[in-house]
Amino acid sequence: MTDYIVRATAGDHQVRAFAATTRELVEHARLAHNTSPVATAALGRLLTAGAMMGVMMKGDDDLLTLKVQGSGPIEGLTVTADSKGNVKGYAFNPGVMLPPNEKGKLDVGGAVGEGVLSVIKDIGLKEPYVGQTILVGGEIAEDLTYYYATSEQTPSSVALGVLMNKDNTVKQAGGFIIQLLPGASDEMIDKLEKKLGEITSITSLLDEGNTPEMILDHILGEFGLEIMDKVPAEFTCNCTKERVEKALISIGKKELNEMIDEGESIEVNCHFCNKHYNFSVEELTDIRDRAVR
């Protein structure tokens, strides 16, 4: 299990925590979408957050979607995750190139710009839960920290990072989410803030060989850290040719006839994993015959 998420508690259940290592799934996304370094960093951070937030949900069929819509050249990001550690996502403009920021690092905030973060939770109710906040910097982690504080009233510390090799492959990726639960003491809050202030970079910790368990122990060890479980994390897309067929059926006979009249096969692309599905004129004719309108 190379990529995984640990779920933990500390401080006699005053704190809950999640930490993840996600290098392989972020590299999978980079290869699938041919992302530039800054797009890899932005998408990798959101994929890591999505994976951790997904396992916070309880139902087997629960789904989480994170959407970032910004004014920057990357234009937006979308990530979907389930409660089992499966995650997928894409950047609207995966080839965006920007110079480093003033700290000499990949300028994720500049790529994202100003805009809105949406968190959509489909937990089997009539309507999904939708929470929205403004982006406070576009660096993803700070935006999610702000989201938790304003939309869910849960004081949280979110750290996310992607470290690139010189050949633009992913060297390290991961993050953590640490949340104070109702009833947390002032002493606990003060001590935790001090420990969190000592951390300079999540990717530095990972690059030094620290596992998610070790990172949480570094932050929460003195508070009686208890690791609850360990969940594999993976970039997984559930698209199939059959699912694409159903989508084509839903567009109706008129549009399908127009495709058939052009006399050429069509290619349908999955946004999430960039797989291509080809449909011949014969297949389109069969799909049209099954369409109800």
Side-chain angles (χ1 to χ4, degrees):
M1 192 191 307
T2 307
D3 284 356
Y4 65 92
I5 302 157
V6 291
R7 195 170 5 204
T9 184
D12 197 21
H13 300 286
Q14 295 181 74
V15 177
R16 74 168 182 169
F18 303 82
T21 177
T22 56
R23 190 199 71 80
E24 284 195 8
L25 73 84
V26 176
E27 175 66 7
H28 183 115
R30 183 192 73 81
L31 288 168
H33 297 296
N34 193 26
T35 46
S36 68
V38 71
T40 303
L43 180 58
R45 291 179 191 181
L46 199 64
L47 285 166
T48 301
M52 289 189 287
M53 293 171 70
V55 301
M56 293 180 188
M57 301 186 296
K58 296 178 172 64
D60 284 348
D61 298 322
D62 292 354
L63 285 175
L64 169 88
T65 300
L66 301 176
K67 288 185 177 180
V68 171
Q69 296 162 286
S71 61
I74 204 167
E75 296 174 11
L77 304 155
T78 298
V79 161
T80 297
D82 64 18
S83 60
K84 305 179 190 73
N86 299 309
V87 64
K88 60 185 179 180
Y90 62 95
F92 292 11
N93 181 11
V96 60
M97 299 291 284
L98 284 178
N101 63 20
E102 66 277 2
K103 295 178 182 176
K105 300 194 174 188
L106 292 169
D107 192 4
V108 172
V112 172
E114 298 177 350
V116 176
L117 166 68
S118 302
V119 178
I120 304 155
K121 297 179 184 178
D122 188 347
I123 54 174
L125 302 176
K126 199 169 187 182
E127 296 289 335
Y129 163 84
V130 181
Q132 269 193 344
T133 57
I134 60 164
L135 297 172
V136 292
E139 295 284 343
I140 312 299
E142 295 88 342
D143 304 307
L144 283 164
T145 298
Y146 183 73
Y147 160 78
Y148 275 120
T150 56
S151 284
E152 298 196 8
Q153 287 76 53
T154 304
S156 306
S157 176
V158 182
L160 303 164
V162 175
L163 182 65
M164 306 295 290
N165 287 308
K166 285 193 167 89
D167 64 358
N168 291 334
T169 57
V170 179
K171 187 177 184 184
Q172 297 290 349
F176 63 73
I177 299 174
I178 296 173
Q179 298 184 317
L180 289 167
L181 298 178
S185 67
D186 290 341
E187 182 185 9
M188 165 62 74
I189 295 167
D190 291 342
K191 284 184 177 178
L192 185 56
E193 283 180 350
K194 186 180 177 194
K195 291 297 288 187
L196 289 167
E198 295 169 3
I199 293 174
T200 53
S201 161
I202 182 69
T203 49
S204 295
L205 289 172
L206 290 165
D207 206 35
E208 288 163 8
N210 288 284
T211 64
E213 294 93 331
M214 292 164 70
I215 290 168
L216 288 184
D217 186 63
H218 175 69
I219 301 167
L220 299 169
E222 67 180 90
F223 308 118
L225 175 70
E226 183 182 351
I227 302 292
M228 309 295 287
D229 63 354
K230 183 174 172 177
V231 181
E234 186 178 8
F235 189 105
T236 306
C237 188
N238 58 351
C239 70
T240 62
K241 192 163 185 177
E242 290 71 30
R243 289 172 75 99
V244 177
E245 277 186 18
K246 288 179 182 176
L248 287 171
I249 287 171
S250 70
I251 70 172
K253 289 188 175 182
K254 182 183 175 187
E255 288 81 357
L256 287 165
N257 273 327
E258 288 174 2
M259 295 179 193
I260 293 163
D261 289 343
E262 288 176 6
E264 294 181 9
S265 63
I266 66 160
E267 183 179 86
V268 181
N269 178 53
C270 173
H271 282 309
F272 283 102
C273 67
N274 217 22
K275 280 184 188 165
H276 303 282
Y277 295 96
N278 289 294
F279 292 87
S280 66
V281 172
E282 291 77 14
E283 286 174 310
L284 289 171
T285 302
D286 178 59
I287 291 167
R288 179 202 61 193
D289 292 344
R290 287 184 278 143
V292 294
R293 56 181 177 84

